[in-house]
Amino acid sequence: MMAARASQDRAFPPRERMVRSAAQLIRRKGVSGTGMREIVTEADAPRGSLQHYFPGGKEELVSDALLWMGDVAARRTKRCLSELESRTPSALLASIVDTWRRDLTNEEFSAGCPLVAAAADTAATSERLRQVLGRAFDGWLEPLSESLVDLGVPIDRSDNLAIVIIAALEGAIILARIRRDLTPFDALVLELGPLLDAVARPAISAT
């Protein structure tokens, strides 16, 4: 699995490979535990390419990696919405959660969300990265909120519920890694899904 992904990543230009590699390493080690040389090695990038592509150093590379991961999360949300058979908020939640189930299972609980990993060790020490994290989360929240509206959630509730979903999902990811099992995801879908449907049901019934 990892070998196949590495082979696919080598098809990208060096700069994009470094951004992707940085995001994957941050998922496993956080920002402070991820070294620049390690990123270059992981990306199979030319020596000296870091200074060429990222004159702002590690902070610039990490910023790009976090924004890229926020975009990945947004694209996942849109894909989950487009593939739904049952167009309910609980089905969307279950589909999004399933993508994380697969990630953690395939990686044997070794990696989580790079946005949370970065927030844990940089949000209080780097104003630039704190702002970048805010943009990355906003880039994820917006399509999630729009998807909820599309599934019948009132527009005046959608932003808050998108925040609740992401907050609960990030907590479930952390607990799943600590426990090395998927039961936090089960609890999330079981308890939050019906609440989301209950909010959407009046709007659905009215159509």
Side-chain angles (χ1 to χ4, degrees), residues 72 74-84 95 99:
V72 168
R75 292 199 306 270
R76 277 187 174 188
T77 299
K78 293 175 183 177
R79 184 171 65 250
C80 288
L81 176 66
S82 69
E83 295 174 352
L84 286 182
S95 181
T99 66

Side-chain angles (χ1 to χ4, degrees), residues 82-100:
S82 69
E83 295 174 352
L84 286 182
E85 294 183 7
S86 172
R87 292 186 61 78
T88 62
S90 62
L92 176 63
L93 175 65
S95 181
I96 293 170
V97 168
D98 280 346
T99 66
W100 286 99

